[in-house]
Amino acid sequence: MYAGLLKVRSVCPACGLDLAQVDVGDGLATPVILVLGALLCGLAVWVDSVFSPPWWVHLILWPSIGFPLGLGLMRTGKAALIGLQYRHRWHETEI
Ligand SMILES: [Zn+2]
């Protein structure tokens, strides 16, 4: 379904569905960034207060957790939005 990390293919390689008409935009990026950022900030404060690691541990730890998690959430959420759009709106415009 994806041609890159977040770029949606124009045609589904499995079933041939035309995905070029589907546009979910970047509407998912804001909630993912806000929720994940708040969660990771809370975890960082907790880890710092409990374990008191050196600053470079934070520098390595949080990006290595945040980037894959954010990408996974974006890919999953985008696929879900495409599925919802296909199910609810796309069919109404078809003749
Ligand atoms: Zn398909």
Side-chain angles (χ1 to χ4, degrees):
M1 181 168 180
Y2 290 99
L5 285 177
L6 289 172
K7 184 172 173 24
V8 178
R9 292 177 191 266
S10 55
V11 176
C12 176
C15 65
L17 181 70
D18 183 17
L19 295 170
Q21 298 176 19
V22 180
D23 182 26
V24 293
D26 294 327
L28 198 66
T30 306
V32 165
I33 288 170
L34 286 177
V35 170
L36 192 63
L39 209 123
L40 289 182
C41 280
L43 275 174
V45 168
W46 178 77
V47 165
D48 196 59
S49 64
V50 172
F51 301 106
S52 299
W55 63 269
W56 56 265
V57 171
H58 289 291
L59 196 68
I60 295 170
L61 183 65
W62 303 115
S64 62
I65 292 173
F67 284 127
L69 205 59
L71 266 178
L73 284 173
M74 283 294 294
R75 287 174 67 97
T76 307
K78 210 168 184 177
L81 280 182
I82 289 171
L84 284 172
Q85 194 175 54
Y86 175 71
R87 182 182 173 138
H88 293 291
R89 207 185 74 188
W90 199 356
H91 281 279
E92 292 176 8
T93 58
E94 266 183 355
I95 299 172

